[in-house]
Amino acid sequence: MFFAVFQDGEGCKSYIIANEACCAAAIIDPALDLVDRYLGEVNRQGLRVRYIIDTHTHADHFSGARALREVLHAPIVMHRFSPAPYVEMHVEDGHSLPLGDMRMRILHTPGHTRDSMCIHVEDRLFTGDTLLIGGTGRSDLPSGDPVQLHDSLFHKLLDLPDDTLVFPAHDYKGREGSTIGAERASNPRLAKTDQGEFVTLMNSLNLSAPTHLTEALRTNMSGGKTVRQLLAEAGAKVPFMAMDELLRRFELRANDFVILDVREKDAFATGHVPGAIHLPRGQLELRVNEVLPDPSVEVLTVCELGKISTLAAATLHELGFHRATALDGGMAAWREKGHPLEKAARA
């Protein structure tokens, strides 16, 4: 068996497991930020990825499953209760996925989410967010249920042999893994064997919401794009202009150069690049013909931090303004460097 563990900076853990005899592999709980690392390891080991598996709908990070599928052309696997429209293979409790003569057995373990599942492969168990090292997954997020979590833990996972290796989808202390026996003996959440006591404990945790909760659920459930992906795609379509170059343009006073501030009205009035025209990003498509009647001009988009202006410049390219560019760093960096500001009268 080939086995590799990956961890990002936020405690999310993911795995590659493979049958070395035939090089068939699965990637479990991939994170979007680590896609290049998985691909590098797969290529280095000469593996053929047969499955890309998410153990549940993640609420705290962005799944890398779709990005991996584009390169590896392997099916994305989730439980049949997963709402994600991009899943090609839905599995259920008791199903198995072959890696040569190895079998990955599916255990449906709802509680953290309705679609949570664990994967049992020979001597190891990939527990997703159902069972963690020294803890369990929370049950207060969408589709979570502490009663179901109790049943999944005490009537399914803890029925496995004590020497079964446990590899969860999260660990915030850098631990590699545990065993069912070690968790049974020392995990404080598993000390509450009575269902009522366990449910009371889970309902009283009062945990803060994950940092990326709304965006992660939106993208992982719908197949939509993250804001970071949108910015990366926009940034690949447009060039950027340095502030020193903009200062040089002031001296040239070219007639075919337009500075377009895409911030909201109050931000523009507080202080903008001298000579800039105001057109909020939300009105860009509707008013661009009025504000920019000549599509042959060079348009420099400006916002506060350089992100909205990048999206605006990419939109202008799509609208036919092929000389659109974005100010590198935005108004925050412009002010920090002490460059000149012009103010507009407030209505």
Side-chain angles (χ1 to χ4, degrees):
M1 177 190 296
F2 171 81
F3 182 58
V5 181
F6 302 82
Q7 183 160 335
D8 68 7
E10 297 182 347
C12 299
K13 296 175 73 71
S14 47
Y15 307 91
I16 297 177
I17 186 168
N19 185 333
E20 290 181 296
C22 63
C23 297
I27 304 177
I28 300 173
D29 285 329
L32 184 59
D33 288 347
L34 300 182
V35 165
D36 287 343
R37 290 183 57 191
Y38 306 130
L39 294 175
E41 189 65 27
V42 165
N43 291 330
R44 187 161 44 249
Q45 301 296 333
L47 303 176
R48 293 182 298 106
V49 175
R50 294 284 305 277
Y51 310 102
I52 303 165
I53 305 172
D54 268 329
T55 57
H56 62 288
T57 300
H58 298 285
D60 53 358
H61 72 277
F62 306 115
S63 171
R66 282 170 293 148
L68 286 170
R69 180 183 59 188
E70 290 180 9
V71 180
L72 300 171
H73 307 293
I76 296 174
V77 181
M78 294 188 74
H79 189 267
R80 73 178 182 91
F81 288 150
S82 167
Y86 51 82
V87 177
E88 289 105 344
M89 184 183 295
H90 289 94
V91 293
E92 300 187 36
D93 192 71
H95 286 184
S96 292
L97 300 174
L99 293 175
D101 60 0
M102 287 171 49
R103 294 293 182 268
M104 298 187 292
R105 186 163 67 96
I106 304 300
L107 304 175
H108 183 213
T109 53
H112 175 63
T113 62
R114 182 169 179 253
D115 63 348
S116 288
M117 64 183 190
C118 298
I119 304 165
H120 189 201
V121 189
E122 296 190 349
D123 64 344
R124 57 202 65 201
L125 180 71
F126 300 94
T127 57
D129 281 5
T130 300
L131 176 62
L132 307 179
I133 301 174
T136 66
R138 59 197 296 169
S139 58
D140 60 339
L141 296 179
S143 81
D145 185 323
V147 173
Q148 289 185 337
L149 182 59
H150 179 274
D151 185 66
S152 295
L153 291 167
F154 288 94
H155 302 296
K156 190 162 288 186
L157 297 191
L158 293 184
D159 286 343
L160 295 172
D162 279 353
D163 59 356
T164 304
L165 301 173
V166 171
F167 296 101
H170 289 89
D171 187 73
Y172 306 101
K173 298 182 180 179
R175 294 168 293 194
E176 286 281 317
S178 182
T179 65
I180 289 293
E183 295 309 306
R184 190 199 311 276
S186 62
N187 189 319
R189 299 228 182 136
L190 300 184
K192 302 292 185 180
T193 57
D194 177 77
Q195 184 187 89
E197 292 182 359
F198 181 84
V199 170
T200 298
L201 169 66
M202 297 304 296
N203 287 338
S204 65
L205 293 178
N206 195 28
L207 300 172
S208 59
T211 303
H212 308 293
L213 174 63
T214 301
E215 188 179 11
L217 286 177
R218 173 182 62 79
T219 58
N220 294 336
M221 291 176 67
S222 70
K225 295 180 179 179
T226 68
V227 172
R228 184 185 301 181
Q229 285 175 307
L230 290 174
L231 286 169
E233 292 174 4
K237 297 177 182 177
V238 301
F240 294 85
M241 183 176 291
M243 293 184 188
D244 290 345
E245 177 61 19
L246 178 53
L247 292 172
R248 190 180 74 84
R249 297 297 182 95
F250 285 149
E251 298 176 3
L252 294 176
R253 298 182 181 275
N255 292 328
D256 64 344
F257 178 64
V258 177
I259 304 170
L260 192 69
D261 193 313
V262 296
R263 296 175 298 163
E264 295 301 315
K265 182 178 180 180
D266 287 347
F268 178 78
T270 300
H272 53 265
V273 174
I277 298 173
H278 183 227
L279 177 56
R281 172 64 186 90
Q283 301 176 27
L284 182 61
E285 291 86 346
L286 298 177
R287 294 183 52 207
V288 66
N289 295 330
E290 165 198 339
V291 176
L292 299 172
D294 183 359
S296 69
V297 298
E298 183 181 20
V299 182
L300 175 68
T301 58
V302 180
C303 70
E304 186 63 20
L305 299 173
K307 296 181 179 180
I308 302 300
S309 60
T310 301
L311 296 172
T315 298
L316 287 171
H317 271 262
E318 294 176 358
L319 293 171
F321 294 84
H322 299 302
R323 298 178 66 196
T325 181
L327 181 64
D328 197 1
M331 286 303 300
W334 181 266
R335 289 193 302 269
E336 184 179 336
K337 291 182 178 294
H339 294 322
L341 291 172
E342 186 173 83
K343 296 186 177 182
R346 296 177 184 269

